[in-house]
């Protein structure tokens, strides 16, 4: 009998060797990459006497075709009840009433961390000279900033009202044809995000946490994020971490908490990647950083992601690319993004051994130049294989 994953009083997860995990196959190439990823995930779990009972839940086009709804309530209920889930890419319905299914799932489960580890695998084609120096983990805030943004169209009655209010409260006269955007950043939202990043750094023996912000220009949102981050280090992590100003950049054996302005950070992750380790940032900066960094290590075919609430125990791990509909059903595309999201999920469940084995086998497979079309076109002497063959090659090396 398979078991539900449950939450312990101390917010850790209680996971048996036979847990039930809901999955969304995904639209488009989901039908190719999910079975490939599952083959590897199952084999790596079985090595240690574990077996996941995968429970299919629906979302996206498949859900719409079968139920008439893009995101059936049963799907959210399953993710809510079983705490941990995984998903392939989803078609964003045009005019379906949702901005994005992915964003909706994150919001409904209050998955406040978008976790994006970025590291290079030996042999993966990269546009930079030393991709091996890239080993960063981005904690991107998932519920505030532009994800909670409010906009008013230029000339609308809402925009006019805000312009009046700005004049009244701030004494500033803005151009009457301005569109308006409001981005909220709260102390609560900032501290829970930074707490997650610092806890991760402690647990995984990482060296630094960098708060990335644009606080020189936006003092009470981005600047406040930076200040609340440092404040949290002092309030809750002083035994294991220290802020840059409190140690002149020399933290001893503690974790160094530092900050970087977003524009220069985007340069430095490229020119001095080994100076960055864990990064904590707001929604929009995190969006730019995660994709820019993914490009350095092989692009979206291989970048994994997870959306997590460390307090309630909920986590949904996901491929970061889209459905690539033109390749759907061709057994062609790279399954690494959803597979490595599964690896993140295993790490999150405490299955470090199974996760580590997959990483080694992926490294070995790509190192031997056995790759899908996307990498094969950028490599000399590669053996181009199908999506399912790539997965089998990984299993053979587990
Ligand atoms: P996309 O599906 O990510 O595809 C863009 C290109 O990225 C593909 O043409 C392909 O490039 C490459 N690519 C994507 N997945 C790959 C994989 N597994 N292996 C290798 N290469 C891969 O982006 P899109 O065409 O803009 O969006 C299509 C649909 O996906 C839309 O409905 C969009 O809303 C949705 N979407 C969903 C998510 C999500 O669910 N997380 C994210 C983004 C977009 P080449 O053709 O150059 O090889």
């Amino acid at each position: 009998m398979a078991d539900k994953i449950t939450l312990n009083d101390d917010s850790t997860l209680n996971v048996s060797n036979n847990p039930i995990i809901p999955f969304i196959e995904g639209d488009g190439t989901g039908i190719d990459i999910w079975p490939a990823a599952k083959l590897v995930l199952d084999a790596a779990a079985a090595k240690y006497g574990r077996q996941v009972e995968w429970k299919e839940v629906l979302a996206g086009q498949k859900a719409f075709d079968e139920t008439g709804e893009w995101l059936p309530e049963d799907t959210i209920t399953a993710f809510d009840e079983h705490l941990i889930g995984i998903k392939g890419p989803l078609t964003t319905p045009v005019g379906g009433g949702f901005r994005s299914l992915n964003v909706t799932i994150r919001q409904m489960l209050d998955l406040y961390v978008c976790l994006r580890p970025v590291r290079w695998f030996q042999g993966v084609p990269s546009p930079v000279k030393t991709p091996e120096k890239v080993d960063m983990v981005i904690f991107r805030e998932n519920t505030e900033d532009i994800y909670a943004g409010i906009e008013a169209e230029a000339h609308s009655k809402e925009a006019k009202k805000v312009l009046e209010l700005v004049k009244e409260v701030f004494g500033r006269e803005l151009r009457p044809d301005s569109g308006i955007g409001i981005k909220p950043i709260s102390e609560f939202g900032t501290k829970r995000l930074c707490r997650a990043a610092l806890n991760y750094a402690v647990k995984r023996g990482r060296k630094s946490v960098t708060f990335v912000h644009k606080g020189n220009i936006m003092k009470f949102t981005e600047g406040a994020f930076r200040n609340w981050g440092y404040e949290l280090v002092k309030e809750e992590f002083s035994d294991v971490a220290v802020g840059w100003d409190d140690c002149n950049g020399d933290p001893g054996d503690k974790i160094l908490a530092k900050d970087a302005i977003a524009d220069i950070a985007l340069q430095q992750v490229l020119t001095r990647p080994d100076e960055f380790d864990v990064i904590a940032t707001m929604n929009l900066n995190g969006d730019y950083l995660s994709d820019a960094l993914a490009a350095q290590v092989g692009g979206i075919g291989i970048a994994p992601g997870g959306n997590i609430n460390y307090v309630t125990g909920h986590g949904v791990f996901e491929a970061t690319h889209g459905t690539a509909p033109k390749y759907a059903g061709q057994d062609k595309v790279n399954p690494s993004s959803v597979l490595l999201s599964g690896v993140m999920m295993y790490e999150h469940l405490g299955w470090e051994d199974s996760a580590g084995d997959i990483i080694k086998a992926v490294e070995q497979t790509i190192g031997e130049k056995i790759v899908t079309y996307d990498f094969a076109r950028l490599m000399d002497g590669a053996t181009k294989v199908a999506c399912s063959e790539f997965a089998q090659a990984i299993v053979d090396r587990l």
Side-chain angles (χ1 to χ4, degrees), residues 29 33 87-92 102 300-301 318-327 333-335 373-374 377:
T29 48
I33 58 175
K87 60 173 279 295
L90 296 175
T91 306
T92 300
N102 301 305
I300 54 174
E318 65 178 358
T320 57
H321 54 71
T323 59
K326 64 182 172 184
Y327 300 127
V333 296
N334 192 339
Y373 84 98
D374 51 323
R377 68 187 167 189

Side-chain angles (χ1 to χ4, degrees), residues 258-317:
K258 50 186 181 154
D259 72 284
I261 292 186
D263 41 309
I264 196 69
L266 272 158
Q267 266 197 35
Q268 289 177 345
V269 292
L270 191 60
T271 54
R272 293 172 5 213
D274 42 359
E275 290 180 15
F276 292 84
D277 192 343
V278 175
I279 292 176
T281 190
M282 288 145 286
N283 194 270
L284 183 59
N285 296 333
D287 199 10
Y288 300 148
L289 263 173
S290 351
D291 278 20
L293 275 168
Q296 284 195 52
V297 294
I300 54 174
I302 196 166
N307 300 286
I308 303 169
N309 182 321
Y310 288 92
V311 180
T312 62
H314 289 110
V316 178
F317 296 82

